[in-house]
Amino acid sequence: MQFFLDTANLAEMRAAKAWGLLDGVTTNPTLMAREGGDWRAVMQAICREVEGPVSLEAVGDTADELIAMGLDLVRNGPNVVVKIPMTPEGLKAVRVLRSKGVDTNVTLVFSPMQALLAAKAGASFISPFVGRLDGLSQDGMQLVADIMAILRNYSMEARVIVASVRHPRHVAEAALMGAHVATVPFAVLRQMFDHPLTSAGLEMFNKDWAALNG
Ligand code: E4P
């Protein structure tokens, strides 16, 4: 399973890299806006920092707009994956970008049918947003299970990125389902290290070691 970091923050990427846990990065306009500054320079710095795929989001209403922005985005680095919204125009753009050898990540996926359409259009990655579905009292991880089953049924190549991750349990369930990638906010990645019994056990071992040497 690959871990992507869902961030545009370079310091977070460097920390994840030091743990050997940075297989790629996903960004979106909200994450880019949070970083501020010159977005093009930020994108280029991210592409230099990360060895794996970096998803940069194209914004536009028409396929032509999305294609034009996608072709501009890939100039930021050799590892760019163009994020395309799950719309009819978006899927037209996916087909054209694929024909030009550009990898795409279809984003804002909330149903199994949307995922099937994206896979048939030739998306390299598909991003179901589990946390936002959970927020509507729906079952985000069931969506991932459904998508994985559909892709397996037809041996489709698209890889699933479990997105909108809110807590480590989302990542654990994604791994149990065989999802290819989880893209996690840095805070969730950090949380994944922790267990109260690890902390309590460590505290006791340290205390006993100190007593032994006291
Ligand atoms: C994925 O590629 C998105 O950037 C991200 O996971 C969105 O999640 P959010 O619901 O935390 O905004």
Side-chain angles (χ1 to χ4, degrees):
M1 184 190 203
Q2 291 194 305
F3 287 171
F4 290 1
L5 212 54
D6 199 25
T7 188
N9 183 279
L10 287 169
E12 292 181 352
M13 290 170 212
R14 287 177 188 135
K17 205 175 178 179
W19 289 318
L21 295 174
L22 186 69
D23 297 316
V25 158
T26 52
T27 66
N28 61 42
T30 306
L31 294 170
M32 292 299 302
R34 199 174 290 163
E35 288 314 300
D38 173 358
W39 57 265
R40 193 175 288 279
V42 173
M43 285 178 179
Q44 287 169 3
I46 295 171
C47 290
R48 279 194 302 273
E49 190 64 43
V50 180
E51 280 174 27
V54 173
S55 286
L56 303 176
E57 190 150 341
V59 180
D61 294 328
T62 67
D64 285 346
E65 288 167 355
L66 292 166
I67 294 162
M69 184 159 173
L71 293 176
D72 186 47
L73 288 174
V74 294
R75 291 163 51 202
N76 289 305
N79 45 351
V80 172
V81 173
V82 178
K83 239 173 155 181
I84 297 283
M86 177 56 227
T87 61
E89 289 296 301
L91 294 196
K92 274 195 223 169
V94 166
R95 289 183 69 81
V96 173
L97 289 168
R98 183 187 167 90
S99 74
K100 294 178 184 293
V102 174
D103 283 323
T104 55
N105 170 3
V106 173
T107 187
L108 293 166
V109 167
F110 293 97
S111 80
M113 279 305 94
Q114 289 180 321
L116 179 56
L117 296 183
K120 282 179 70 64
S124 318
F125 296 97
I126 298 171
S127 291
F129 276 36
V130 297
R132 292 193 196 187
L133 268 181
D134 288 354
L136 291 182
S137 296
Q138 296 187 32
D139 189 343
M141 291 315 300
Q142 185 57 50
L143 170 61
V144 176
D146 291 347
I147 294 172
M148 291 305 297
I150 290 169
L151 296 182
R152 282 187 186 125
N153 281 347
Y154 298 102
S155 304
M156 291 173 128
E157 281 173 14
R159 279 173 283 166
V160 172
I161 303 179
V162 177
S164 187
V165 164
R166 296 286 182 262
H167 45 69
R169 187 69 208 159
H170 276 150
V171 184
E173 288 178 18
L176 287 166
M177 289 171 189
H180 309 83
V181 185
T183 188
V184 293
F186 184 78
V188 174
L189 183 67
R190 181 61 194 84
Q191 255 186 305
M192 286 164 61
F193 284 82
D194 297 335
H195 193 284
L197 292 179
T198 304
S199 311
L202 188 60
E203 194 183 330
M204 181 182 287
F205 288 156
N206 285 343
K207 203 169 117 241
D208 290 344
W209 184 252
L212 192 64
N213 290 281

